[in-house]
């Protein structure tokens, strides 16, 4: 196992110390730094962006070729970590805990961790596991100095974590599956604009992701998360089904067919979609078709009949009815009154 001691006083210093152990090169453009590694120890990249008011983004998109342990000293830099594994998994324990108390950050799980002053965090990354990990780090004192941050609106537990600017306590929260976070983080990774606009877009999405972490925490501590009997692997299967539908909205789907393809019963599929997307399977299919229809209106010259056919509907009148119910305007009105002025 490769052990990397991290005792830096910033996210930048953390990545530099990782580079000293793993090699690779760090490039920078418009405040976005990327460590790229391609050797016998790791393949991939680690990027970070530091924003104003004590917020930074740290993202791993990497496969380690050896087991890696980050031994992180919280004496100089001890932010609150809002972490999410989009792909793969990793593990964590505090320095005073035994190895038997190590906990796993599962794929699609919202996790919040911060250490006490002078304490250690151990992060474990398995070899040959493709990792896509999103971490938002908040330096509490800087963040609290931001105007209108309204941390008093947080639930009591997280409020205490934010106010612990002397870092007297550690805290670890392991939430439930949250696939809305997966979608938002996936969209963040696909931002393809450049320069200042790119950084501004990323910053806005980082704050959205942070808000979703906080909402997930609030639901958990107030027992507002939907109850489910499904196993984590079954929820992952449900997400794969949803992605399949999203990738080809025009295909004719039935609950029976999706059940046979996924290996889940029809009842489990319905339960999974309600837990992850707050919709039945049929409602989800209708939702993504309507979203695709609106995208076609925004980005193509297709007429309404062509759009109806391309998203898998056979009745234009039915499409118009449910489009207006969802967006509050008919498809033709949308094209005439929304898109045309934008074009002008």
């Amino acid at each position: 196992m490769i052990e990397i001691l991290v005792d830096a006083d910033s996210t930048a210093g953390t990545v530099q110390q990782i580079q000293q152990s793993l090699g690779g090169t760090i490039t920078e453009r418009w405040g976005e730094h990327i460590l790229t590694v391609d050797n016998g120890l790791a393949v991939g990249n680690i990027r970070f962006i530091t924003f104003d008011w004590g917020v930074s983004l740290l993202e791993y998109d990497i496969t380690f070729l050896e087991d890696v342990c980050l031994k992180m000293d919280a004496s100089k830099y001890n932010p609150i970590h809002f972490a999410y594994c989009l792909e793969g998994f990793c593990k964590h324990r505090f320095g005073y805990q035994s190895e038997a108390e190590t906990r796993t950050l599962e794929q699609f799980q919202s996790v919040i961790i911060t250490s006490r002053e002078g304490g250690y965090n151990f992060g474990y990354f398995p070899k040959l596991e493709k990792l896509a990990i999103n971490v938002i780090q908040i330096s509490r004192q800087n963040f609290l100095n931001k105007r209108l941050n309204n941390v008093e609106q947080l639930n009591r537990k997280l409020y205490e974590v934010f106010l612990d600017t002397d870092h007297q306590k550690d805290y670890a929260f392991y939430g439930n599956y949250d696939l809305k976070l997966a979608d938002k983080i996936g969209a963040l990774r696909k931002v393809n604009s450049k320069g200042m606009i790119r950084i501004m877009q990323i910053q806005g999405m980082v704050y959205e992701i942070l808000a979703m972490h906080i909402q997930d925490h609030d639901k958990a501590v107030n027992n507002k998360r939907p109850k489910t009997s499904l196993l984590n692997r079954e929820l992952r299967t449900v997400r794969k089904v949803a992605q399949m539908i999203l990738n080809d909205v025009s295909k004719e789907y039935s609950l029976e067919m999706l059940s046979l393809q996924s290996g889940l019963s029809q009842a489990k599929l319905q339960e999974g979609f309600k837990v992850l997307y707050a919709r039945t399977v049929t409602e989800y299919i209708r939702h993504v078709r309507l979203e695709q229809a609106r995208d076609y209106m925004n980005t193509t010259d297709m007429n309404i009949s062509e759009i109806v056919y391309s998203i898998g509907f056979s009745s234009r009148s039915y499409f118009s009815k449910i489009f207006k119910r969802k967006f509050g305007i008919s498809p033709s009105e949308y094209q005439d009154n929304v898109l045309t002025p934008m074009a002008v």
Side-chain angles (χ1 to χ4, degrees):
M1 176 180 289
I2 302 171
E3 183 175 286
I4 304 173
L5 174 63
V6 176
D7 59 0
D9 60 1
S10 65
T11 303
T14 297
V15 176
Q16 288 167 1
Q17 291 182 331
I18 293 174
Q19 180 199 25
Q20 291 169 10
S21 294
L22 297 181
T25 58
I26 296 178
T27 57
E28 183 273 335
R29 188 165 179 81
W30 286 92
E32 181 176 8
H33 296 74
I34 300 177
L35 167 62
T36 302
V37 185
D38 187 358
N39 54 35
L41 300 178
V43 177
N45 62 73
I46 300 172
R47 75 163 171 167
F48 72 91
I49 306 172
T50 300
F51 305 105
D52 293 336
W53 312 110
V55 176
S56 62
L57 170 68
L58 176 64
E59 285 199 327
Y60 297 82
D61 188 3
I62 197 166
T63 300
F64 295 111
L65 305 183
E66 299 288 343
D67 290 327
V68 171
C69 170
L70 292 186
K71 183 179 179 181
M72 295 167 280
D73 184 348
S75 299
K76 298 178 182 177
Y77 184 54
N78 184 24
I80 307 173
H81 303 266
F82 292 82
Y84 190 88
C85 293
L86 189 63
E87 293 183 56
F89 69 94
C90 58
K91 297 185 178 184
H92 171 269
R93 69 177 175 90
F94 294 114
Y96 60 83
Q97 294 178 314
S98 67
E99 291 188 5
E101 295 176 281
T102 301
R103 297 190 64 175
T104 300
L105 285 70
E106 300 280 1
Q107 185 183 23
F108 305 138
Q109 184 180 31
S110 172
V111 176
I112 304 172
I113 294 172
T114 190
S115 186
R116 66 182 63 166
E117 176 75 25
Y120 282 93
N121 288 292
F122 290 86
Y124 298 97
F125 302 89
K127 65 179 180 181
L128 304 180
E129 180 78 19
K130 175 67 172 66
L131 300 174
I133 303 173
N134 176 285
V135 185
I136 298 172
Q137 299 178 322
I138 294 182
S139 179
R140 279 165 277 196
Q141 190 62 62
N142 291 337
F143 187 78
L144 290 173
N145 287 336
K146 180 179 180 180
R147 290 185 305 166
L148 304 177
N149 55 60
N150 292 325
V151 294
E152 67 274 6
Q153 295 183 8
L154 301 172
N155 64 65
R156 172 52 55 180
K157 190 63 183 178
L158 201 54
Y159 180 64
E160 292 173 354
V161 173
F162 270 85
L163 288 188
D164 182 20
T165 55
D166 292 329
H167 307 167
Q168 296 178 346
K169 299 178 181 179
D170 53 44
Y171 183 69
F173 164 76
Y174 291 77
N176 295 319
Y177 271 34
D178 191 326
L179 295 187
K180 291 181 180 179
L181 266 169
D183 293 338
K184 182 60 67 175
I185 292 171
L188 169 65
R189 287 169 168 258
K190 293 178 181 177
V191 172
N192 58 12
S193 52
K194 299 184 184 299
M196 181 178 64
I197 293 176
R198 171 180 174 81
I199 299 302
M200 292 173 65
Q201 287 181 319
I202 290 175
Q203 183 173 12
M205 296 180 76
V206 164
Y207 277 101
E208 285 187 70
I209 293 166
L210 176 60
M212 293 170 73
H213 274 288
I214 292 172
Q215 288 172 347
D216 183 77
H217 181 276
D218 189 63
K219 290 177 182 178
V221 298
N222 290 296
N223 295 316
K224 294 180 180 178
R225 291 301 301 259
K227 299 290 188 294
T228 178
S229 61
L230 298 184
L231 302 174
N232 287 346
R233 59 177 174 80
E234 292 174 324
L235 289 171
R236 285 196 291 269
T237 299
V238 171
R239 184 173 189 268
K240 289 179 180 177
V241 172
Q243 285 296 123
M244 178 184 70
I245 295 170
L246 186 61
N247 291 337
D248 188 0
V249 299
S250 65
K251 189 174 180 179
E252 187 66 34
Y253 297 102
S254 70
L255 186 58
E256 181 180 8
M257 179 265 282
L258 294 172
S259 175
L260 289 173
Q261 286 189 351
S262 66
L264 296 178
S265 69
Q266 295 184 28
K268 284 189 173 183
L269 267 181
Q270 292 284 32
E271 180 182 350
F273 269 82
K274 288 178 181 178
V275 168
L276 298 180
Y277 302 102
R279 293 179 171 91
T280 65
V281 174
T282 299
E283 289 169 345
Y284 178 83
I285 294 170
R286 185 165 58 237
H287 165 73
V288 296
R289 283 177 170 174
L290 290 173
E291 290 291 339
Q292 182 67 73
R294 187 169 62 167
D295 286 346
Y296 282 149
M297 291 181 188
N298 290 331
T299 60
T300 74
D301 294 327
M302 297 168 63
N303 61 43
I304 293 176
S305 295
E306 289 171 329
I307 291 173
V308 169
Y309 175 78
S310 67
I311 62 173
F313 284 128
S314 57
S315 170
R316 175 168 172 165
S317 61
Y318 173 71
F319 166 74
S320 297
K321 177 181 177 181
I322 62 174
F323 186 96
K324 185 171 184 178
R325 184 188 304 160
K326 181 175 178 64
F327 298 116
I329 189 172
S330 71
S332 57
E333 290 171 332
Y334 183 84
Q335 287 185 319
D336 293 341
N337 300 323
V338 176
L339 297 181
T340 302
M342 290 176 62
V344 173

